[in-house]
Amino acid sequence: MKLLRIGAPGAEVPAVLGEDGEAYALSELTDDIDGPFLASGGLDRAREALAAGALPLIDPAGRRIGPPVARPGKVVCIGLNYRDHAEETGAAVPERPVVFMKDPSTVVGPDDPVLIPRGSVKTDWEVELAVVIGREARYLADPAQAPECIAGYAISNDVSEREFQLEYSAQWDLGKSCETFNPLGPWLVTPDEAGDPRALGLRLAVNGETRQRGNTKNMIFDVGYVVWYLSQYMVLRPGDVINTGTPAGVALGLPGTPYLRAGDTVELSIDGLGTQRQTFVNA
């Protein structure tokens, strides 16, 4: 299934896409697509209601698409998880996952404007596969248990301000948690439809020029390992989001470091997970 949220910020209607391409409202089943919905078997209820033809149509034409998960408890990120990205930034290839946190309030819709922070000269892009947790993951015994805890996948743009991130603090938080710095969506795609998370193509273009083209097969630490690893150090709860890293092609590693400016557009896609498109504006 592909789940989505349609409407203005704070007033989104939960919905699901049918095989006919139509959108059907989930309002009679849940107030929102969030942690409690995922934890209580909401995906199964939505699947059953869709199959039974019990859901009303909703027309998304001309309406905003919000992030597919409301109010994630936390956004956990994996840095330098593609060898080519580590090499382009001059960083050593990590022996263990590089983990950092991102303010959950950075999560916005896939096509919402992204704000370039005041004083920023190094705002950058990062296309990433996002994992949405559907069941608590705590001290998993091995990576083979990880799929049981995954509700689905989505596209994430881990927008970063490199000067804030790398020059202003020993921690990365300042450059990762700026307002609107995590467009997510358009859909939450369940694992049975998303395909193999170890073999998905990722693409990103800036103003129509391809900047990133990679594949999740080149992750240093794959999705199962990442979920297992994180569960050894924190409890992953339904609705949490994990950004799993980005391939080469970010502005930081390109000749001339072509960082984003107001008016630039960024378009991202991942096989089977849809497309995002953001315009960057000054905060």
Side-chain angles (χ1 to χ4, degrees):
M1 290 189 301
K2 296 182 176 77
L3 293 94
L4 68 164
R5 300 168 65 246
I6 302 168
E12 294 94 343
V13 175
V16 60
L17 291 182
E19 293 183 2
D20 56 5
E22 299 284 357
Y24 296 87
L26 293 172
S27 305
E28 295 179 7
L29 297 182
T30 182
D31 292 333
D32 217 333
I33 299 170
D34 55 12
F37 169 76
L38 297 173
S40 63
L43 293 178
D44 289 337
R45 295 197 304 276
R47 186 177 287 109
E48 292 168 2
L50 181 64
L55 300 174
L57 280 168
I58 179 173
D59 185 4
R63 301 180 66 182
R64 170 184 176 268
I65 303 300
V69 180
R71 301 173 298 279
K74 54 183 171 289
V75 178
V76 190
C77 305
I78 307 299
L80 306 172
N81 199 23
Y82 289 74
R83 187 177 300 271
D84 57 0
H85 175 54
E87 292 172 348
E88 74 172 344
T89 61
V93 175
E95 296 182 2
R96 296 165 65 97
V98 175
V99 180
F100 62 95
M101 309 294 284
K102 193 161 189 166
D103 181 354
S105 71
T106 59
V107 173
V108 294
D111 302 323
D112 287 348
V114 174
L115 301 179
I116 296 175
R118 296 177 185 180
S120 168
V121 293
K122 296 183 178 180
T123 295
D124 206 345
W125 58 82
E126 294 189 18
V127 60
E128 305 199 8
L129 174 67
V131 177
V132 177
I133 297 299
R135 193 161 84 186
E136 184 176 280
R138 176 180 178 273
Y139 292 117
L140 298 182
D142 57 61
Q145 292 185 334
E148 301 172 7
C149 302
I150 296 173
Y153 302 93
I155 304 171
S156 183
N157 189 353
D158 177 18
V159 185
S160 308
E161 211 299 342
R162 302 303 188 188
E163 186 176 34
F164 299 178
Q165 175 191 353
L166 302 173
E167 300 174 39
Y168 286 3
S169 172
Q171 303 291 327
W172 289 3
D173 303 53
L174 293 182
K176 293 289 189 174
S177 289
C178 302
E179 186 179 10
T180 72
F181 261 29
N182 204 137
L184 187 71
W187 312 313
L188 169 61
V189 183
T190 53
D192 58 321
E193 186 166 340
D196 187 349
R198 298 168 297 182
L200 299 176
L202 307 89
R203 293 159 294 277
L204 181 145
V206 180
N207 298 328
E209 182 176 352
T210 298
R211 293 299 193 183
Q212 289 184 279
R213 185 178 294 275
N215 194 291
T216 57
K217 68 182 180 182
N218 296 320
M219 282 184 179
I220 298 170
F221 307 103
D222 67 19
V223 165
Y225 187 92
V226 165
V227 173
W228 166 80
Y229 181 84
L230 292 174
S231 79
Q232 309 307 302
Y233 302 97
M234 64 185 76
V235 179
L236 299 173
R237 294 187 169 88
D240 287 351
V241 174
I242 303 170
N243 290 337
T244 59
T246 197
V250 299
L252 176 64
L254 291 174
T257 56
Y259 291 113
L260 294 163
R261 299 290 181 261
D264 286 344
T265 60
V266 176
E267 188 164 342
L268 308 78
S269 63
I270 296 180
D271 293 346
L273 303 186
T275 300
Q276 299 184 358
R277 187 178 188 275
Q278 300 108 31
T279 298
F280 282 67
V281 299
N282 289 326

